[in-house]
Amino acid sequence: MVTVSRQVKEVCSSLVLSDTTLEHVMNLMHSEISKGLSKETNAFADVKCFPTYVRNLPNGSERGKFLALDLGGTNFRVLLIELGGSQKNKMLSKIFAVPQSVMLGSGNSLFDHIADCLAVFMKEHGVQLERLPLGFTFSFPCRQEGLTKGRLVRWTKGFKCGGVEGEDVVRLLQAAIRRRGDVDIDVLAVLNDTTGTLMSCAHKNPECRVGIIIGTGTNACYLEKLGNVGLWDGDWEEPQQVIINTEWGNFGRNGCLDDILTEYDREIDEKSLNPGEQVFEKMISGMYMGELARLVIAKLTKKGLLFRGQGSDILYKKGSFYTKYISEIESDKLGEFYNCREVLEELCLGLISDQDCQDIRYICEVVSTRAAQLAAAGVACLLNKMNEKKVVVGVDGSVYRFHPHFHNLMTESIEKLVSSDIKFELMLSEDGSGRGAALVAAVASRKS
Ligand SMILES: Nc1ncnc2c1ncn2[C@@H]1O[C@H](COP(=O)(O)OP(=O)(O)OP(=O)(O)O)[C@@H](O)[C@H]1O
């Protein structure tokens, strides 16, 4: 079997993180989270740690018919969910595309598009005359002022719609629905997909206390004691706990991760819609992983170390190496390069040797391993901070779901970083943040 070439390993070495570095990242994350939670320092914090106002986890008694909207990355989903106790749940959903022109257009066009899709869906399912409770999963950094009020702090993940930053997105949604006048809804909660994931997993496993996403972007939330939330301005009724939306994707904005950034990370950042922001996210999530691998491959090809120096126009085009290629290439059996050759052919690369394939696989492994280890450092930080004997971590997002080794890489890395008396388990979220949104709405209606 061919082995990875020495020069390729050398070029990739900046992407390989030691255990000591990961421990350092975990400790940095801890101090950034503390900064975010404190009233005095939150204004300058990069990891904002927004209280979600979700105080109660599902207890299995949630029942009823709910609508959910899920906007947060590549697709927009509308769902109709019927909760019927802990086991019986019915769910209908439809995915709508969000065209690039809408992602970069005006806020009103975005919310009009959402309202259009909602109305189409409600009519298709014959519920247009009902006033159903709705949970709105809006997965961008929002400062919440209550369960039904969240102001967008800034766009991420390729969105840039005018007139939304600083505004309450529930108000914008309601205004768009009113402009149409043909359907009506009752928004009971706005939440992030991490919260949706935590709630959805907690419904199945009451030990779930953390929710994380590794999809288009990355983020995490966890259940925190009110006494640790300096920012808390709500009531102190029991249970004295609240889900904190960390917004950890922005970790590193102040330069604290600069030592581990590579030339590839810098290039991704410079060419992004949000330079200087979401530094942690850009090293981990699906929106960037493929591009990171492409930049390394392009550099090595130009140096003559891959494909005998013969690249292709596609290879040199930004965004042409999809993150799913990494999963496909790493799914090949060791020593076999069936998927790898298929991907390289799609990139119009000719005359591919086994050595090229072995090296390409290594590049993919280095990029995905670093992503998994950094996400693991974040999870270990939360687990150590919570200091509970056993915690289940709900995980969602296509990178975690489809990458063949992500789960194992994360588990292995968390084990090294977490205190030896803490037990944990990473649990794949089955039907994601949509069901979570319905559960938040259901828990809210249980209380009101
Ligand atoms: N097979 C795969 N392996 C790894 N990554 C993948 C795969 N398929 C899609 N992706 C990546 O996952 C990302 C989409 O993630 P996901 O499907 O979880 O969507 P999302 O809901 O838009 O994300 P988010 O929850 O961050 O808002 C894209 O960046 C895509 O490149």
Side-chain angles (χ1 to χ4, degrees):
M1 198 165 86
V2 282
T3 53
V4 181
S5 87
R6 187 181 51 78
Q7 290 112 311
V8 169
K9 276 197 169 170
E10 245 167 55
V11 168
C12 290
S13 62
S14 58
L15 289 154
V16 177
L17 302 176
S18 68
D19 289 351
T20 321
T21 303
L22 288 170
E23 202 178 322
H24 180 58
V25 170
M26 174 178 77
N27 294 335
L28 282 172
M29 174 74 93
H30 187 272
S31 60
E32 295 300 307
I33 287 180
S34 304
K35 236 188 261 176
L37 287 173
S38 148
K39 204 172 176 176
E40 287 69 44
T41 47
N42 177 270
F44 323 105
D46 296 328
V47 182
K48 285 292 185 196
C49 292
F50 298 119
T52 61
Y53 293 85
V54 178
R55 303 273 305 277
N56 292 283
L57 299 186
N59 61 11
S61 71
E62 298 74 22
R63 277 172 180 72
K65 215 195 267 181
F66 299 88
L67 284 167
L69 299 180
D70 188 353
L71 178 74
T74 6
N75 289 307
F76 165 62
R77 283 205 306 162
V78 186
L79 303 98
L80 180 62
I81 297 156
E82 205 169 332
L83 299 172
S86 56
Q87 297 308 319
K88 275 192 303 158
N89 296 308
K90 271 200 271 174
M91 193 160 94
L92 296 165
S93 75
K94 183 163 179 173
I95 292 181
F96 296 87
V98 183
Q100 187 84 356
S101 57
V102 173
M103 287 168 76
L104 302 174
S106 73
N108 275 354
S109 331
L110 172 70
F111 284 93
D112 283 340
H113 178 65
I114 293 175
D116 277 354
C117 300
L118 175 66
V120 166
F121 180 85
M122 288 177 79
K123 286 173 191 165
E124 272 177 16
H125 295 287
V127 292
Q128 71 272 31
L129 300 177
E130 294 180 48
R131 187 162 194 262
L132 291 175
L134 179 141
F136 182 20
T137 307
F138 182 79
S139 305
F140 300 93
C142 282
R143 184 179 294 281
Q144 292 204 218
E145 292 170 17
L147 205 49
T148 55
K149 190 165 182 182
R151 290 182 191 278
L152 175 67
V153 175
R154 60 178 191 288
W155 286 114
T156 56
K157 298 184 278 190
F159 277 71
K160 209 82 189 170
C161 301
V164 187
E165 287 180 349
E167 298 297 322
D168 171 16
V169 295
V170 173
R171 194 185 58 76
L172 296 177
L173 171 66
Q174 280 165 331
I177 289 168
R178 231 173 287 124
R179 278 198 288 278
R180 299 182 54 87
D182 57 347
V183 289
D184 198 8
I185 49 158
D186 186 14
V187 182
L188 288 190
V190 57
L191 57 140
N192 200 280
D193 51 2
T194 50
T195 306
T197 299
L198 196 166
M199 293 293 278
S200 182
C201 290
H203 192 234
K204 295 210 163 128
N205 186 331
E207 288 180 314
C208 183
R209 294 283 179 278
V210 177
I212 70 168
I213 302 287
I214 308 169
T216 305
T218 184
N219 192 12
C221 70
Y222 72 107
L223 196 65
E224 181 60 284
K225 297 180 190 73
L226 285 185
N228 293 336
V229 188
L231 287 177
W232 182 244
D233 60 0
D235 68 61
W236 285 76
E237 276 171 27
E238 293 291 342
Q240 293 194 351
Q241 58 182 23
V242 64
I243 296 180
I244 296 292
N245 167 21
T246 65
E247 288 295 342
W248 78 11
N250 202 37
F251 176 36
R253 185 180 177 276
N254 62 2
C256 68
L257 295 175
D258 283 4
D259 286 353
I260 62 167
L261 293 184
T262 64
E263 59 182 279
Y264 318 107
D265 298 305
R266 293 203 166 86
E267 183 167 347
I268 294 244
D269 182 57
E270 277 160 23
K271 296 196 172 143
S272 70
L273 276 176
N274 51 355
E277 290 171 5
Q278 302 293 111
V279 177
F280 194 56
E281 175 161 279
K282 286 171 183 162
M283 288 194 276
I284 294 177
S285 74
M287 185 159 176
Y288 310 99
M289 253 169 69
E291 181 65 3
L292 276 168
R294 188 191 70 84
L295 291 174
V296 181
I297 297 168
K299 176 175 173 176
L300 284 162
T301 308
K302 284 186 183 154
K303 274 175 165 271
L305 296 170
L306 284 172
F307 318 120
R308 295 187 298 172
Q310 299 294 305
S312 66
D313 288 350
I314 303 188
L315 174 66
Y316 293 129
K317 194 165 159 261
K318 184 183 170 203
S320 62
F321 195 91
Y322 304 131
T323 300
K324 69 170 183 182
Y325 289 167
I326 295 185
S327 297
E328 287 165 10
I329 290 170
E330 290 190 55
S331 296
D332 273 329
K333 276 201 207 133
L334 284 181
E336 283 180 15
F337 303 111
Y338 179 79
N339 292 340
C340 186
R341 283 182 182 279
E342 215 164 64
V343 166
L344 296 177
E345 275 159 27
E346 269 180 55
L347 295 171
C348 296
L349 295 158
L351 289 177
I352 306 154
S353 66
D354 275 7
Q355 182 67 59
D356 288 328
C357 290
Q358 186 66 276
D359 291 341
I360 292 290
R361 181 180 175 125
Y362 180 74
I363 294 164
C364 291
E365 283 172 355
V366 163
V367 169
S368 59
T369 302
R370 187 184 70 153
Q373 289 176 337
L374 288 170
V379 173
C381 165
L382 296 179
L383 296 177
N384 286 333
K385 185 171 192 323
M386 293 165 82
N387 198 23
E388 306 242 356
K389 290 278 155 283
K390 168 85 195 281
V391 175
V392 170
V393 179
V395 194
D396 205 350
S398 292
V399 174
Y400 175 86
R401 188 179 295 272
F402 297 121
H403 185 281
H405 312 300
F406 221 82
H407 171 90
N408 289 349
L409 287 165
M410 278 188 74
T411 305
E412 223 171 82
S413 199
I414 297 171
E415 266 163 8
K416 284 191 192 160
L417 293 164
V418 88
S419 303
S420 55
D421 55 341
I422 296 176
K423 301 229 167 336
F424 73 93
E425 187 188 311
L426 302 182
M427 165 184 178
L428 178 68
S429 166
E430 285 301 339
D431 31 24
S433 44
R435 200 166 64 102
L439 283 163
V440 175
V443 171
S445 62
R446 191 175 81 197
K447 295 216 81 190
S448 58

